[in-house]
Amino acid sequence: MATVSTKSRMDKIGVKGGMRVAVMGVKDPTLSAELAEQGAVPVSELANLDILFYAADSAGELGRIEALVPMLAEKGALWIVSIKGKAATVQHAEVIDAAKARGLIDNKVVAFSPTQTSLRFTRAKAVAAAEPAAEPVA
């Protein structure tokens, strides 16, 4: 038997007080109030964002992901929100492929609303430079 989560949508997404958050194109009547209730700081300056919610329901919107990456803080997250189910105009795989092509990795999915889904993307962690091989001792 499946258990129903009692976490709020903002808790599932990882919104915390003081986070710098921006919303681009996401149509959701309660999102602003939920962000405020969580203590997030909505900003209009699109730089150093902890979370950016971005609506993407077309190939053209997915093509704009590259311009969004520099807006994120080093450990910031891009949540791509799209229509789910039979009404979907982009599939999860298309969203993931578009984001990965811009150096992002997917690491979480949350049902955003009854009609929308959201995928979280972050920058890939830098691979540590390999240590140079030790010189053999003669």
Side-chain angles (χ1 to χ4, degrees):
M1 189 162 139
T3 56
V4 177
S5 175
T6 57
K7 283 185 168 184
S8 74
R9 172 170 66 164
M10 294 298 103
D11 287 336
K12 290 177 186 177
I13 288 172
V15 176
K16 294 179 177 51
M19 284 186 153
R20 292 175 44 86
V21 178
V23 180
M24 297 177 70
V26 177
K27 292 175 179 40
D28 184 288
T30 62
L31 181 56
S32 292
E34 289 176 55
L35 290 168
E37 186 176 295
Q38 203 76 2
V41 180
V43 296
S44 56
E45 178 192 344
L46 300 177
N48 203 31
L49 298 171
D50 295 304
I51 296 178
L52 172 56
F53 293 99
Y54 176 66
D57 285 304
S58 70
E61 289 165 338
L62 291 176
R64 294 186 191 106
I65 292 172
E66 185 171 13
L68 304 177
V69 176
M71 298 175 186
L72 300 174
E74 183 180 336
K75 294 185 179 185
L78 171 63
W79 280 91
I80 298 179
V81 180
S82 56
I83 297 169
K84 67 181 178 182
K86 292 181 181 184
T89 52
V90 295
Q91 302 301 314
H92 271 243
E94 293 172 282
V95 175
I96 291 169
D97 289 347
K100 282 188 175 182
R102 302 324 185 265
L104 300 174
I105 56 169
D106 61 304
N107 53 21
K108 191 168 188 178
V109 62
V110 170
F112 198 76
S113 73
T115 59
Q116 296 174 309
T117 187
S118 59
L119 287 160
R120 180 177 67 190
F121 295 91
T122 56
R123 290 184 175 93
K125 290 185 173 99
V127 179
E131 296 273 333
E135 293 290 324
V137 179

